[in-house]
Structures are given as structure tokens and as C-alpha cells.
């Protein structure tokens, strides 16, 4: 019995969880949990503030990694086999359709949740100083999510995949000077074919997921280092203690800073961050906090289970589409890009260069630049009417374009309301 | 700048130059590596068959080559590309209005390939068609010709 206890103690190395010390040690002696603070502010756990969208996005990514690895066991990225493998997954492999559905719905869900998460961060003003750079990382993660979705879209090698990627990569080729070469580099040829499938596969299962994991780590790290989750604006307290510097602070110190007191002993982390290792100092702030174990961890676990359950239930009832084998000679009518690019395709149907290259490039640059352009320090909605209006306009415009592209475009990209049924279509 | 500073600066400059060129060369090599030396794609120049194989009237659509072969009793042969100049979808020829229609974004091209409607930026391409020595028609997609080009056989 003693041996068992000793083995257990050698693994966890912490005091019992009934003690405050044990609850803290659970967090910071554990490599996976120590991204959390030992104690969290109660307001940060309010569902209404963040809707846990960042967590949900991350959990969807975990679903995608696990189901993706499973699917890889049955998938060969070469033209006719790729489609046969999809048919196998659909009709022969045990639980094949279920895993494929989970992968598909989690991918769509991730695009939605990343977008909603971005909106939440914008509306709460959480990209403001000192979190500007983490917003930029977030925009890059959004682009990676879209890139992963787009590269994954080709892999089934059906009509849907083939034409969505043909249209999508042709949009890119309108970029001035380098567009054509960029497309050739991506496709490894002049049209979507064998070489393109292998390249998209490599991007989808190796390059982009690695980048995603790297940037996610930075994103989480910065959430902690930039002062934890942003708190609801109505709970904001006056600025906490300034940074402590050894010697007089430089005139150009980026944040408030004061020289270390000669009569006090500091730990190194206090000099570096201006605070002790717990992110709570004052007595009244201490009252607003609880231990991460169990309060934060239970909420995360429930969110994880809710996310997985939702995706599983969806996968039971909704099947991922699989059309006939890719046929380069026959363009389906209408040929549509993945839904989250349909706003783009709608713009492209008016002008390929303006709608497909200039507008999205400006949009991405503007997104990245937001925290550096918006220098208003206030996070209160009343002080930010103008930016909130502008952002809302772009969000609504995007959604309207996607809805129009998805539901209102029929054969020949003509305006056809969804309640009108086109028989046969134009051939 | 004294001698010590000069040497410090020189070492630094040499180091930075070496690093930048190493990264630059490696990056260029990777990009070049990704540009295939050989494309395993169908040849751009190919034979499409005997002239007698093609009917007069509406053009013959050749699926794999993505071309329309026109044959006119008086003027002869002409070959048009079936790839829309907008985003690469395959256009269809409607005998009813004698126009090319693109299913993706609704571009419409007249019988001579010129844009009549929609977002397509350029007219459909016309390819050179010649008669090979064995009598078959040969199309070369690398050689574009004006829409007035005809081969009389």
C-alpha cells in the first residue's frame, strides 16, 4: 500500500487537494495545467462574458486532430484512389461515416467559432493595450483555420472538391505579378491534378497543423502574460501596481513603472512582472478570486464535453456530402466555393481582381492593424460607438454576402431565391 | 569609431550578412524545389483525329482536351478553348443562342469568343489548328490565334 502511495506521489508530487497548497500545486507542478493561473477571477468564468468561444474553438481543433489522424489510416492522396477511399470510408470502414462527419462538422464549427471569438474580443475591446499583439496572432490563427479548411476541401476528390479548388486557386492567380506563379507553386502544375492533391494533403496534415499548434501555444501564453482573460468592462478596477524596475525607470518605459523600494525585498518575478506569482495582490481583489481547481477546470471539462457531444450528435444525423468523382470536363452548375468563401465568390462574380484579391487583402490588413489604429484606450461601448458601428457593418456585410452566395445563387450564378426550384438547370 | 568598435561592427556585419544570405538562399532553394522540373500533364500539342470525324454545324466538344472544334462548310476548322477566362470553369456551348455560357459566375461569350456579359476579363482563346503529315488535325494550345483564324482542309 505504501509503495502504491509512493508511486502516486512520485507522479503528482503535490499536497492533497483538500489543501489550498495542494490546489495551487496541482496547477503549477503540472506541465499541461500550468498554462492556467492557480487562482482565477470569478468574473472571468462568467459564461456571458466570453461564451467560452476560445475554449470551444480549441476543443474543436482537438476533435479535428484526433479524427483527422484516424481518417489518415484509410486515405491515399492520389487521384482515383482518393475518391475510392472516401467511398470506403463511407460504406466499408467501421464508423467511417461517423468519423468523417465529425471531422467535417468540427471543421465548419471551428470556422464559425473562430469568427465569433474574434467578434467577442472586438466587442469587449479586449484587443487593446497590452493585448494588441495577441489580436494579431488571433488573426493569423483565423487565416490558418481557413487555410486548413480550404486544403481539406480538396481531399475527397469529388466534384464539389475539384471545382471549389479550381475556382478558389484561380481567384489567387489574379494577384498582380506573382499570382500565376503562386498558383503553380500551390498546385505543382497548371491545373488541379495529382500534384495538387499531394501538395494540399501535405499542407493539410503537416504544414498548417504544425503552424496552428505553434501559434496556439503563443496565443495561450500571451493571454496569461498580457494579464489573463480580459474582464468585463463594468468590473474593471483602477490600474494595479506599476512595474518595478531596478534603478530609476527609463523615460520611455512602455507601461507605468516605478523604482524598486530600497526597504523591501523582491522576488525576481516581481521585478519582471511587477506582481507576485499569483495574479491577485490586494485584499479586495483576493476576495474576487477562486482556485482554478475545481472551479475553472470543471467549466472547461463541461465545455469540452458539450462540444464533443454536439459534434457527435450532429454527426449521427447529418452526413458530410460526397458527390460523384471529380470530372475536370464537367463543371457543375452552379460551381460554388466552400460556404465561408462564398462571400468572396459573390464579390468575385463582379470583379475577380477587386473582389478576389484587393478586397480580401485589405480586409486582412485592416484586421491586423485594428489594435494599432484604434488608439482609444477605453473599452466602454459608449466611448467606442464609431468603431463598433464600423465593425458591425463589416460583419453584417460578410454574413449577407455569404447568405446570398449560399442560398440565392442558382445556375449560371443567376439570382434564384431558395424557394424557387430550378428543374434541370441550364446545361 | 575606434579600432575596437570597427572590428566589433565588422564581425557583426559579417555575421548578419552570412545569416541573411544563408536564410535567403535556403528559402530560394525551397521555392525552386517546389517548382516541378517536369509536369506530368497532358501535352499541349496533340492530334484530335481526321477532319472527316467532325460534323458541320454546332461545334464538337472534346472533354479531355477542353476544346470546341468548329467546322464550317465554307471556311474550315477553328478550335476554341472551353476554359472560362474568369476562374477556369468549363463553359458550355448553347446551340439555341449560339453562345458560350459559363456555369460558375454567369459569363457569356459570343460565338467568336468575345465577352458579352459577366465578369470574364478576356475573350475565350482560339488555338492554332494545323494538318499533320498523316492527315490528322493537330491542335497546339501553346499557340493562340485570332478568332478569325481558319484551317481549310
Amino acid at each position: 500500500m505504501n509503495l502504491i502511495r509512493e508511486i502516486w506521489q512520485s507522479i503528482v508530487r503535490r499536497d492533497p487537494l483538500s489543501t489550498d497548497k495542494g490546489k495551487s500545486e496541482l496547477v503549477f507542478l503540472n506541465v499541461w495545467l500550468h498554462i492556467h493561473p492557480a487562482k482565477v477571477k470569478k468574473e472571468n468564468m462568467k459564461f456571458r462574458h466570453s461564451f467560452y468561444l476560445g475554449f470551444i474553438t480549441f476543443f474543436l481543433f482537438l476533435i479535428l486532430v484526433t479524427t483527422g489522424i484516424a481518417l489518415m489510416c484509410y486515405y491515399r492522396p492520389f487521384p482515383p484512389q482518393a475518391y475510392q477511399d472516401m467511398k470506403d470510408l463511407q460504406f466499408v470502414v467501421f464508423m467511417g461515416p461517423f468519423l468523417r462527419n465529425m471531422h467535417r462538422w468540427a471543421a465548419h464549427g471551428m470556422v464559425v467559432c473562430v469568427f465569433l471569438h474574434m467578434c467577442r474580443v472586438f466587442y469587449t475591446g479586449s484587443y487593446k493595450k497590452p493585448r494588441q499583439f495577441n489580436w494579431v496572432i488571433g488573426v493569423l490563427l483565423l487565416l490558418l483555420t481557413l487555410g486548413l479548411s480550404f486544403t481539406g476541401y480538396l481531399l475527397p476528390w469529388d466534384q464539389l472538391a475539384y471545382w471549389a479548388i479550381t475556382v478558389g486557386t484561380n481567384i489567387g492567380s489574379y494577384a498582380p505579378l506573382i499570382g500565376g506563379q503562386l498558383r503553380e507553386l500551390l498546385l505543382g502544375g497548371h491545373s488541379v491534378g495529382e500534384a495538387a492533391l499531394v501538395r494540399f494533403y501535405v499542407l493539410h496534415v503537416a504544414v498548417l497543423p504544425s503552424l496552428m499548434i505553434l501559434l496556439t501555444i503563443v496565443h495561450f501564453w500571451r493571454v496569461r502574460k498580457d494579464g489573463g482573460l480580459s474582464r468585463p468592462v463594468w468590473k474593471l478596477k483602477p490600474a494595479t501596481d506599476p512595474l518595478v524596475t531596478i534603478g530609476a525607470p527609463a523615460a520611455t518605459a512602455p507601461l507605468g513603472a516605478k523604482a524598486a523600494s530600497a526597504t523591501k525585498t523582491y522576488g525576481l518575478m516581481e521585478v519582471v512582472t511587477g506582481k507576485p506569482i499569483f495574479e491577485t495582490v490586494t485584499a479586495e481583489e483576493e476576495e474576487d478570486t477562486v482556485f482554478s481547481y475545481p472551479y475553472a477546470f470543471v467549466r472547461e471539462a463541461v465545455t469540452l464535453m458539450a462540444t464533443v457531444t454536439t459534434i457527435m450528435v450532429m454527426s449521427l444525423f447529418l452526413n458530410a456530402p460526397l458527390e460523384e468523382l471529380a470530372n475536370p470536363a464537367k463543371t457543375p452548375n452552379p460551381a460554388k466555393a466552400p460556404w465561408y468563401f462564398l462571400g468572396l465568390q459573390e464579390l468575385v462574380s463582379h470583379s475577380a481582381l477587386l473582389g478576389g484579391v484587393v478586397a480580401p487583402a485589405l480586409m486582412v490588413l485592416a484586421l491586423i492593424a485594428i489594435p494599432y489604429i484604434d488608439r482609444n484606450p477605453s473599452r466602454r461601448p459608449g466611448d467606442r460607438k464609431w468603431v463598433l458601428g464600423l465593425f458591425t457593418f463589416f460583419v453584417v456585410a460578410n454574413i449577407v454576402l455569404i447568405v446570398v452566395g449560399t442560398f440565392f445563387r442558382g445556375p449560371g450564378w443567376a439570382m434564384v431565391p431558395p424557394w424557387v426550384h430550378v428543374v434541370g438547370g441550364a446545361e | 569609431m575606434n579600432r575596437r568598435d570597427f572590428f566589433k561592427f565588422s564581425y557583426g556585419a559579417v555575421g548578419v550578412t552570412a545569416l541573411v544570405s544563408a536564410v535567403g538562399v535556403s528559402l530560394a532553394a525551397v521555392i525552386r524545389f517546389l517548382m516541378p522540373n517536369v509536369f506530368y500533364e497532358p501535352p499541349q500539342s496533340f492530334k484530335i483525329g481526321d477532319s472527316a470525324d467532325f460534323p458541320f454545324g454546332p461545334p464538337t466538344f472534346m472533354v479531355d482536351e477542353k476544346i470546341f472544334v468548329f467546322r464550317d462548310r465554307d471556311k474550315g476548322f477553328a478550335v476554341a478553348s472551353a476554359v472560362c477566362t474568369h476562374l477556369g470553369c468549363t463553359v458550355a456551348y448553347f446551340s439555341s443562342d449560339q453562345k458560350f455560357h459559363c456555369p460558375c459566375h454567369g459569363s457569356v461569350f459570343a460565338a467568336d469568343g468575345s465577352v458579352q456579359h459577366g465578369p470574364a476579363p478576356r475573350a475565350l482563346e482560339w488555338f492554332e489548328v494545323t494538318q499533320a503529315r498523316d492527315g490528322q488535325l493537330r491542335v497546339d494550345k501553346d499557340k493562340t490565334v485570332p478568332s478569325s483564324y481558319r484551317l481549310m482542309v
Side-chain angles (χ1 to χ4, degrees):
Chain A
M1 218 47 217
N2 264 344
L3 179 66
I4 292 174
R5 191 173 303 147
E6 204 180 313
I7 293 172
W8 175 245
Q9 199 52 40
S10 79
I11 298 170
V12 300
R13 293 192 304 173
R14 57 165 164 73
D15 280 8
L17 285 173
S18 50
T19 65
D20 284 358
K21 183 159 174 274
K23 286 174 188 164
S24 306
E25 283 176 346
L26 171 73
V27 176
F28 54 72
L29 293 183
N30 181 307
V31 67
W32 307 116
L33 294 181
H34 87 281
I35 193 80
H36 299 87
K39 300 185 85 174
V40 289
K41 300 222 167 41
K42 287 179 194 161
E43 288 89 35
N44 278 347
M45 294 191 304
K46 289 241 168 76
F47 181 74
R48 267 185 316 144
H49 180 52
S50 68
F51 306 105
Y52 300 170
L53 283 163
F55 280 116
I56 295 173
T57 306
F58 177 65
F59 295 146
L60 288 170
F61 182 65
L62 292 186
I63 295 176
L64 285 163
V65 170
T66 43
T67 54
I69 289 172
L71 293 172
M72 278 170 77
C73 297
Y74 279 102
Y75 179 79
R76 291 165 294 174
F78 316 111
Q81 283 92 335
Y83 182 72
Q84 287 159 17
D85 290 344
M86 297 313 292
K87 285 282 185 199
D88 262 17
L89 277 168
Q90 208 69 5
F91 297 107
V92 181
V93 179
F94 174 70
M95 290 236 299
F98 184 64
L99 281 175
R100 193 168 100 81
N101 291 349
M102 277 187 78
H103 197 75
R104 172 69 63 132
W105 304 136
H108 286 334
M110 194 169 157
V111 173
V112 173
C113 288
V114 167
F115 182 73
L116 291 177
H117 177 58
M118 183 184 78
C119 293
R120 193 283 290 174
V121 170
F122 188 90
Y123 285 119
T124 58
S126 304
Y127 55 88
K128 299 193 174 205
K129 200 169 165 181
R131 296 187 177 83
Q132 305 101 313
F133 185 64
N134 215 15
W135 167 271
V136 175
I137 301 280
V139 175
L140 296 182
L141 285 169
L142 167 71
L143 295 181
L144 275 177
T145 307
L146 292 177
L148 273 163
S149 276
F150 187 63
T151 49
Y153 217 82
L154 180 64
L155 303 188
W157 203 251
D158 59 351
Q159 277 287 72
L160 191 66
Y162 183 90
W163 289 102
I165 303 305
T166 296
V167 170
T169 52
N170 269 319
I171 292 174
S173 67
Y174 274 89
L177 302 176
I178 51 159
Q181 273 154 323
L182 214 60
R183 178 169 193 265
E184 207 169 285
L185 202 66
L186 187 64
L187 296 183
H190 298 97
S191 59
V192 179
E194 278 179 48
L197 185 54
V198 172
R199 281 178 188 215
F200 273 56
Y201 182 69
V202 170
L203 285 171
H204 189 73
V205 304
V207 180
L208 298 180
S210 314
L211 288 175
M212 189 77 143
I213 289 166
L214 286 176
L215 285 185
T216 304
I217 292 170
V218 178
H219 200 61
F220 287 2
W221 174 255
R222 289 298 290 248
V223 169
R224 279 298 302 283
K225 292 295 148 183
D226 293 346
L229 303 179
S230 78
R231 275 177 277 293
V233 68
W234 58 93
K235 296 281 187 183
L236 281 185
K237 296 231 161 65
T240 47
D241 291 344
L243 294 177
V244 179
T245 61
I246 299 172
T252 56
L255 303 163
K258 66 171 184 188
S261 159
T263 58
K264 195 183 158 196
T265 307
Y266 292 91
L268 179 60
M269 61 285 192
E270 289 181 83
V271 181
V272 174
T273 65
K275 312 174 199 169
I277 197 154
F278 290 119
E279 285 180 351
T280 54
V281 234
T282 59
E284 80 262 26
E285 269 197 324
E286 184 71 34
E287 273 178 19
D288 291 342
T289 66
V290 288
F291 276 100
S292 295
Y293 174 86
Y295 300 99
F297 296 159
V298 164
R299 281 165 175 76
E300 283 172 31
V302 169
T303 311
L304 173 63
M305 285 192 288
T307 310
V308 174
T309 311
T310 308
I311 295 297
M312 281 185 161
V313 169
M314 280 181 74
S315 303
L316 281 177
F317 296 107
L318 297 170
N319 278 323
L322 185 65
E323 297 184 352
E324 63 268 43
L325 177 67
N327 179 0
K330 189 172 175 296
T331 312
N333 191 355
K336 290 191 179 184
W339 62 265
Y340 36 84
F341 286 135
L342 279 184
L344 204 59
Q345 192 174 356
E346 180 62 31
L347 291 177
V348 165
S349 71
H350 302 285
S351 161
L353 179 62
L354 274 180
V357 180
V358 178
L362 284 180
M363 210 117 97
V364 169
L365 285 179
L367 267 183
I368 288 177
I370 279 176
Y372 303 103
I373 295 172
D374 178 13
R375 308 194 71 86
N376 171 9
S378 172
R379 286 177 47 210
R380 285 170 206 285
D383 301 338
R384 307 173 59 217
K385 284 185 184 131
W386 197 79
V387 274
L388 290 185
L390 194 65
F391 187 78
T392 308
F393 170 76
F394 274 103
V395 168
V396 171
N398 224 320
I399 293 173
V400 166
L401 284 175
I402 287 177
V403 168
V404 168
T406 309
F407 298 110
F408 287 83
R409 289 300 186 178
W413 208 249
M415 204 53 136
V416 178
W419 50 88
V420 173
H421 184 61
V422 179
V423 182
E427 275 299 329
Chain B
M1 185 185 275
N2 62 28
R3 199 161 70 162
R4 178 173 299 234
D5 284 348
F6 173 73
F7 277 111
K8 264 194 196 166
F9 173 79
S10 309
Y11 295 146
V14 169
V16 168
T17 313
L19 184 70
V20 168
S21 24
V23 170
V25 169
S26 313
L27 208 64
V30 167
I31 291 173
R32 179 61 190 84
F33 167 81
L34 288 172
M35 294 303 248
N37 280 339
V38 178
F39 291 102
Y40 293 95
E41 293 175 342
Q44 291 291 90
S45 171
F46 44 85
K47 291 175 182 173
I48 56 172
D50 278 334
S51 54
D53 296 345
F54 295 92
F56 298 103
T60 310
F61 175 52
M62 303 195 69
V63 171
D64 295 328
E65 294 80 3
K66 293 195 183 181
I67 51 173
F68 290 102
V69 180
F70 285 83
R71 187 178 191 188
D72 188 274
R73 206 171 289 278
D74 306 320
K75 291 181 258 173
F77 282 93
V79 172
S81 163
V83 178
C84 178
T85 54
H86 181 224
L87 290 174
C89 296
T90 308
V91 299
Y93 183 82
F94 288 9
S95 307
S96 50
D97 61 358
Q98 300 193 339
K99 283 174 186 159
F100 301 96
H101 293 253
C102 180
C104 286
H105 300 102
S107 292
V108 178
F109 303 88
D112 68 348
S114 59
V115 184
Q116 291 215 319
H117 179 71
R122 294 185 311 278
L124 289 177
E125 287 178 325
W126 294 82
F127 300 128
E128 186 187 79
V129 51
T130 50
Q131 194 165 28
R133 227 177 272 176
D134 61 0
Q136 291 201 54
L137 297 176
R138 173 187 284 284
V139 173
D140 190 344
K141 281 180 152 182
D142 279 333
K143 293 184 183 156
T144 53
V145 293
S147 60
S148 55
Y149 177 95
R150 291 289 182 280
L151 170 74
M152 202 59 218
V153 177

